Amino acid sequence: MQKLFTYGITLAEAEFLEVGMRVSVPFGKSKIYTGIVYRIHSNAPTAYEAKDIQQILDDKPVVNGIQLKLWNWISGYYMCTMGDVMRAALPSAFILESETVITKIDGIIDESLLKDDEFLIYEALHHQSSLKIHDVSNILDKKNVLPIIKSLIEKEAISVEEEVYEKYKPKLVRYVKLDTNFSSEKALHGLLDELSRAPKQRDVVLTLFSISAKTKKPVKVSDVLQESGVSNSIIKALVNKGVLQEYHIQTDRVQYSGEETVSSNNLNQYQETALEEIKNTFEKQRVTLLHGVTSSGKTEVYVKLIEDILLEGKQVLYLLPEIALTAQLITRLQNYFGEQVAIFHSKYSLHERVEVWNNVLNNSAKAQIVIGARSSIFLPFSNLGLIIVDEEHEQSFKQFDPAPRYHARDTAVVLSHLQQAKTLLGSATPSLESYFNARQNKYGFVELMHRYNNVMMPDVELVDIKDKLKKKRMKGHFSDRLIEEMTETLNEGHQIILFQNRRGFSPIVECVTCGHAPQCPNCDVSLTYHQYRNQLRCHYCGYNTAMHKTCEACGSPEINSKGFGTEQIEEEVKLLFPDYKVARMDLDTTRGKYGYEKIITALEQQEIDILVGTQMLTKGLDFRNVKLVGIMNADNMLNFPDFRAHERSFQLMLQVSGRAGRTEERGKVLIQTYNPHHNILQQVSANNYIDMYNEQMDDRYNFKYPPVYKQVKITLKHKDYNRVETASIWYAKSLRQVFGDFVLGPEAPPIARIRNQFHKNILVKIPKKQSLAKTKEAIIKINNSFQSIKDFRSVKVILNVDNF
């Protein structure tokens, strides 16, 4: 374990301090950092003179003992420092440093509440947009300014830089409905008689009726105004009278304002059996894997388990891989549990995150169930009873940059062990590791193999595009079969999802005359053409430039694009089906805090007929009216240079297929491919997980890959190619002296230069019998001696444990 820093405190401070409190400490000549108390002891360091802490920032701990144990495990297992873990775990408002940037919050604040020092800072922010902490100490002529900043943050006068998301003001759409008091016919007639003296108000009520009878969808205020031809003030008058209720779809999710909560649904016999089996396995094992096909109603099973845990008075953590999923699930869980649900993910503002943190810390009634993305594993639970990891196979649970490079699913298993809680992993396409663990009886195993209401699994059809191209039956990227099915689905009034795992318009733009393709100046990749902004962008470093009119190399005006992304598909769909509403869901369209919710709500309200998207679409979303799913090109996933490409493609295609036909009618899935005889595609069309598992596991045994062998990936980066080259050869050589043939590399990755840094990868494979802890010790030893070589000091080394 890395050494921690020791600071001096007085006797009075020692009596007051507790483990887990924050203190501000001097570091180096002039810097100040926030630290967490890990241990209080009386052994002075021998190598250096201990400095005194500057001040204690809390009156009670913000981090509890179990968390510190978890941090310790993460730093040991994932080979990073405790400081890395602390940064990932704490909301950034908790960590003030001398480089922190502060800005003023828009809005009016009662200045009389501010003390003199606070007012000076607040005033200074009127004249310049942001201040650094050392500017603040210059203004106040004081060394220690953190308490003043802390108090200004609490008064919501300033914010600490990082609030990128708050700049989005959500667009609220106003809807109206008739007040519930008038739902009976008698009350309604009474209302219309009463309104006979106010003809315009009466018109509004009648218009509302005719619109809702026609569409059966929520009614927008704008539609009512348009059809009845009245002004907004009339609707306001009706709202004030209590005749109409006004509500917004798209409001903030932090405050729950629902009325009574509904009781959860009754389970069908298959779900009941699964629930009983899960409870039985929990008696013997801490972790259980639930393999439930798409749309089998796993969420309802989770809800019943959550109810039991809440009755025991314990907390529940519900982990999801993707923020898009939380949007849909929150509404469902809030209907059941109301106020007890708290949400935690990166699109939340600082204040919201700190609020959730404090609620969990104090075990408040508002945070009995926490739904969140991977970072919510770090919240200060004191009494956790159950962790649910939904869609446990998802790659998004793994953090890649910066350190700690942890995997939330594996960390959840450790956390539940520390908390004496249970973990339930759920997925329709479990990862090979989890399934392997279940087969080895390390985890309990439960299957749920029937879709809810016995809906049939979607009918999967493979379309051979090579053949279609030969016979000239393709329109752009659409085969005649796909167009035929789309037309039929739209005529029946159902919705369609089209999946293409690439954003932008086209990944390669090429000159017809000389074949030159514009490259990113900082990375070894070609630039992707984005049509809606008419620019070329690099998806690795964000470099962008205007689209060229002529070729940079030979000046020819004939420029052709190759390959296709979501933008191009969207464009083609609009030409093929001009009368229908098309939308796109990818990284470019979901930038805002509410980006996901807008699109998902629009699809649920049936304002969108065809949704084109990347893998965001595949994650366990529940759309009632989608009947057809089209996978535009299955091959670019299958041919990816990664040992998990086949497993991932299988999971992705099955998950995206699972969005089709979730109610009465059977859904249809069309997969376009150049190679319809590929084993994985055959397994997807037969929904055959076991075959896929067995075949992939054979490969993993033969080629010594996880879950059979563990692995650690070591990446070296530097802007000078030769230096990285010599450094990586030295590193690999040292590793080979210890591990022999279990070291692969050094090897340049498929994209060898990113952001002007050259990369080299080394892979260490660790057989089952070899001690993991000793292996890591050996790697860290080599790493330390590597750092001590003068020429290599500037080379950045990234240690990534379980890098897949």
Side-chain angles (χ1 to χ4, degrees):
M1 184 180 135
Q2 264 90 8
K3 294 194 176 75
L4 302 174
F5 287 99
T6 304
Y7 281 88
I9 48 176
T10 63
L11 215 83
E13 285 172 333
E15 279 165 17
F16 178 76
L17 266 179
E18 288 175 54
V19 170
M21 284 185 179
R22 291 176 306 154
V23 288
S24 63
V25 292
F27 199 84
K29 276 192 180 142
S30 59
K31 289 201 165 64
I32 297 164
Y33 285 105
T34 302
I36 296 272
V37 178
Y38 186 74
R39 212 172 77 223
I40 300 163
H41 59 88
S42 51
N43 317 326
T46 47
Y48 58 93
E49 183 74 26
K51 293 183 176 177
D52 290 338
I53 63 166
Q54 276 211 336
Q55 103 169 73
I56 300 172
L57 294 173
D58 298 302
D59 38 18
K60 55 178 195 290
V62 290
V63 174
N64 64 35
I66 295 180
Q67 273 179 296
L68 287 171
K69 278 187 191 158
L70 182 73
W71 291 9
N72 215 343
W73 176 82
I74 292 175
S75 94
Y77 186 85
Y78 290 107
M79 298 164 85
C80 58
T81 63
M82 290 275 276
D84 289 332
V85 186
M86 175 179 101
R87 273 175 186 286
L90 292 179
S92 50
F94 282 172
I95 310 176
L96 296 172
E97 299 173 356
S98 38
E99 270 84 43
T100 307
V101 176
I102 34 187
T103 49
K104 183 164 80 65
I105 290 182
D106 294 336
I108 293 162
I109 169 175
D110 182 0
E111 295 183 359
S112 61
L113 295 175
L114 301 179
K115 298 185 184 135
D116 292 351
D117 285 350
E118 294 169 2
F119 183 72
L120 279 175
I121 302 303
Y122 188 68
E123 179 80 340
L125 283 169
H126 282 291
H127 301 297
Q128 61 193 82
S129 55
S130 67
L131 294 170
K132 285 213 168 91
I133 288 198
H134 64 82
D135 302 335
V136 176
S137 38
N138 292 344
I139 294 171
L140 299 178
D141 201 17
K142 268 189 184 172
K143 266 206 169 143
N144 189 7
V145 293
L146 294 183
I148 297 162
I149 291 169
K150 188 180 164 215
S151 137
L152 276 167
I153 291 176
E154 280 162 8
K155 292 180 180 165
E156 300 204 1
I158 62 168
S159 69
V160 181
E161 188 63 40
E162 274 228 317
E163 300 221 339
V164 189
Y165 303 108
E166 279 312 294
K167 301 193 175 63
Y168 294 99
K169 289 276 183 283
K171 177 166 164 248
L172 299 177
V173 183
R174 278 172 70 210
Y175 287 82
V176 280
K177 59 182 179 195
L178 203 61
D179 194 280
T180 40
N181 300 335
F182 302 109
S183 46
S184 70
E185 240 176 79
K186 191 177 163 202
L188 193 64
H189 281 299
L191 170 69
L192 289 172
D193 291 346
E194 196 185 311
L195 289 179
S196 56
R197 290 193 299 281
K200 282 189 175 172
Q201 293 185 5
R202 190 181 158 152
D203 283 352
V204 168
V205 175
L206 292 169
T207 311
L208 184 64
F209 257 94
S210 70
I211 296 178
S212 50
K214 267 188 291 198
T215 61
K216 301 225 165 21
K217 294 182 195 171
V219 184
K220 291 186 190 168
V221 174
S222 52
D223 294 349
V224 179
L225 294 176
Q226 199 178 343
E227 287 214 15
S228 58
V230 297
S231 70
N232 205 357
S233 55
I234 306 237
I235 289 189
K236 272 206 179 122
L238 282 167
V239 172
N240 294 342
K241 269 190 187 172
V243 176
L244 296 184
Q245 275 187 1
E246 177 182 53
Y247 61 106
H248 297 87
I249 289 190
Q250 204 52 67
T251 44
D252 199 292
R253 281 292 176 51
V254 185
Q255 288 81 31
Y256 172 69
S257 56
E259 286 80 56
E260 284 304 293
T261 50
V262 288
S263 56
S264 57
N265 299 344
N266 291 329
L267 304 182
N268 62 25
Q269 72 204 55
Y270 305 114
Q271 290 171 312
E272 277 294 349
T273 319
L275 182 65
E276 281 315 306
E277 285 179 5
I278 291 170
K279 287 181 182 168
N280 293 340
T281 56
F282 273 165
E283 281 169 18
K284 301 188 226 51
Q285 265 138 330
R286 289 213 170 261
V287 186
T288 293
L289 173 65
L290 170 63
H291 178 200
V293 294
T294 52
S295 192
S296 55
K298 293 188 284 290
T299 312
E300 298 300 330
V301 177
Y302 301 156
V303 167
K304 293 287 184 201
L305 279 170
I306 292 174
E307 284 174 353
D308 292 350
I309 298 289
L310 291 182
L311 287 176
E312 292 174 25
K314 292 186 169 171
Q315 296 166 306
V316 177
L317 171 60
Y318 195 136
L319 281 178
L320 288 159
E322 192 65 73
I323 300 170
L325 268 174
T326 55
Q328 240 198 357
L329 189 83
I330 289 158
T331 337
R332 260 166 102 172
L333 286 188
Q334 281 184 338
N335 286 341
Y336 298 145
F337 301 110
E339 278 252 286
Q340 296 173 297
V341 180
I343 304 109
F344 190 82
H345 57 63
S346 61
K347 289 252 160 109
Y348 263 24
S349 76
L350 229 103
H351 290 298
E352 289 164 344
R353 272 189 270 178
V354 171
E355 208 173 283
V356 174
W357 181 280
N358 290 333
N359 285 342
V360 175
L361 186 66
N362 304 328
N363 201 353
S364 99
K366 279 189 180 166
Q368 291 306 299
I369 305 168
V370 178
I371 306 178
R374 59 172 182 251
S375 54
S376 43
I377 197 96
F378 291 119
L379 287 167
F381 296 100
S382 49
N383 188 11
L384 199 57
L386 172 70
I387 303 179
I388 295 171
V389 185
D390 200 7
E391 308 295 338
E392 63 85 29
H393 63 278
E394 266 304 333
Q395 212 178 336
S396 327
F397 280 129
K398 170 80 177 162
Q399 156 109 345
F400 284 103
D401 262 327
R405 294 175 176 80
Y406 65 100
H407 196 300
R409 175 197 61 216
D410 303 346
T411 312
V413 172
V414 175
L415 174 64
S416 70
H417 184 75
L418 293 171
Q419 291 266 9
Q420 307 287 309
K422 304 286 185 224
T423 308
L424 180 63
L425 310 174
S427 172
T429 50
S431 61
L432 293 191
E433 296 87 46
S434 300
Y435 205 80
F436 181 74
N437 281 337
R439 282 273 179 98
Q440 308 267 333
N441 288 328
K442 233 170 118 179
Y443 293 173
F445 183 61
V446 178
E447 284 188 302
L448 181 54
M449 289 328 236
H450 295 266
R451 289 186 103 176
Y452 199 71
N453 287 344
N454 287 332
V455 179
M456 305 235 320
M457 289 302 279
D459 167 27
V460 179
E461 182 184 323
L462 301 172
V463 180
D464 184 348
I465 348 183
K466 193 157 72 205
D467 180 54
K468 297 285 183 196
L469 278 166
K470 261 193 212 141
K471 296 181 177 163
K472 301 219 167 17
R473 292 211 178 134
M474 298 281 290
K475 272 195 187 163
H477 294 98
F478 289 79
S479 60
D480 53 352
R481 274 297 292 127
L482 184 53
I483 294 177
E484 194 181 309
E485 286 290 341
M486 286 174 75
T487 315
E488 191 181 317
T489 307
L490 291 169
N491 290 341
E492 289 171 5
H494 291 295
Q495 292 163 301
I496 300 173
I497 283 180
L498 297 176
F499 170 75
Q500 167 59 10
N501 211 1
R502 242 209 187 123
R503 60 195 174 98
F505 188 83
S506 65
I508 297 176
V509 179
E510 178 176 272
C511 167
V512 180
T513 318
C514 71
H516 170 80
Q519 299 285 320
C520 170
N522 314 318
C523 313
D524 286 344
V525 281
S526 57
L527 294 172
T528 303
Y529 171 45
H530 282 243
Q531 192 180 19
Y532 76 114
R533 289 205 171 144
N534 193 29
Q535 54 179 208
L536 296 168
R537 305 182 70 99
C538 169
H539 285 180
Y540 284 84
C541 68
Y543 168 84
N544 58 351
T545 166
M547 175 65 184
H548 307 308
K549 299 267 194 306
T550 56
C551 169
E552 288 175 295
C554 72
S556 154
E558 286 184 58
I559 293 179
N560 193 358
S561 60
K562 289 204 159 134
F564 60 104
T566 43
E567 255 184 50
Q568 194 166 346
I569 298 298
E570 181 188 26
E571 192 85 350
E572 287 183 16
V573 174
K574 283 178 178 163
L575 292 172
L576 290 168
F577 300 99
D579 305 338
Y580 292 96
K581 180 93 172 50
V582 185
R584 180 174 102 241
M585 180 162 159
D586 54 28
L587 199 63
D588 303 313
T589 57
T590 51
R591 294 253 181 230
K593 181 171 177 180
Y594 296 94
Y596 294 104
E597 287 169 46
K598 283 187 191 130
I599 297 172
I600 290 170
T601 310
L603 196 75
E604 283 172 346
Q605 305 288 342
Q606 296 179 31
E607 288 169 15
I608 295 174
D609 300 304
I610 304 168
L611 181 61
V612 182
T614 55
Q615 61 191 19
M616 288 178 181
L617 289 175
T618 60
K619 320 269 167 90
L621 293 164
D622 184 19
F623 299 126
R624 301 274 106 190
N625 197 34
V626 172
K627 194 178 164 204
L628 174 68
V629 166
I631 296 176
M632 299 306 298
N633 182 349
D635 306 312
N636 57 5
M637 296 183 278
L638 287 166
N639 303 332
F640 199 71
D642 171 21
F643 76 93
R644 302 197 68 163
H646 287 177
E647 178 194 352
R648 288 252 160 84
S649 308
F650 178 86
Q651 289 166 339
L652 210 51
M653 282 188 257
L654 252 194
Q655 291 284 352
V656 81
S657 315
R659 303 308 123 227
R662 294 174 76 96
T663 40
E664 287 72 59
E665 294 194 45
R666 186 175 186 189
K668 176 94 183 167
V669 180
L670 285 183
I671 301 180
Q672 299 194 146
T673 167
Y674 285 98
N675 183 4
H677 302 297
H678 197 295
N679 266 357
I680 288 285
L681 294 172
Q682 295 295 331
Q683 286 154 1
V684 169
S685 58
N687 189 19
N688 193 338
Y689 179 83
I690 296 296
D691 270 14
M692 187 278 299
Y693 172 80
N694 292 332
E695 189 188 324
Q696 293 303 316
M697 282 305 291
D698 281 351
D699 281 356
R700 304 285 172 93
Y701 271 109
N702 294 339
F703 300 112
K704 304 185 170 58
Y705 274 114
V708 188
Y709 278 46
K710 288 225 166 235
Q711 62 184 37
V712 177
K713 179 175 159 197
I714 301 163
T715 306
L716 292 90
K717 355 194 230 193
H718 195 271
K719 57 180 189 295
D720 174 3
Y721 176 77
N722 293 332
R723 187 164 293 189
V724 154
E725 181 76 7
T726 30
S728 58
I729 290 169
W730 184 96
Y731 210 108
K733 212 172 178 175
S734 313
L735 287 167
R736 272 201 188 89
Q737 286 169 358
V738 186
F739 303 115
D741 292 342
F742 290 124
V743 179
L744 302 183
E747 175 77 37
I751 293 164
R753 181 179 58 117
I754 297 176
R755 302 188 176 193
N756 278 326
Q757 301 263 355
F758 290 96
H759 289 219
K760 282 280 185 197
N761 292 339
I762 302 169
L763 200 61
V764 180
K765 293 184 177 178
I766 307 166
K768 272 269 184 272
K769 297 199 176 66
Q770 188 173 311
S771 148
L772 199 59
K774 292 229 167 80
T775 306
K776 286 179 187 159
E777 254 171 53
I779 294 177
I780 283 181
K781 224 179 200 163
I782 290 172
N783 197 37
N784 291 342
S785 47
F786 175 83
Q787 303 288 353
S788 63
I789 297 173
K790 194 163 133 244
D791 279 359
F792 297 159
R793 254 181 223 153
S794 56
V795 178
K796 188 167 188 223
V797 180
I798 291 171
L799 302 173
N800 195 346
V801 181
D802 301 343
N803 62 304
F804 37 88

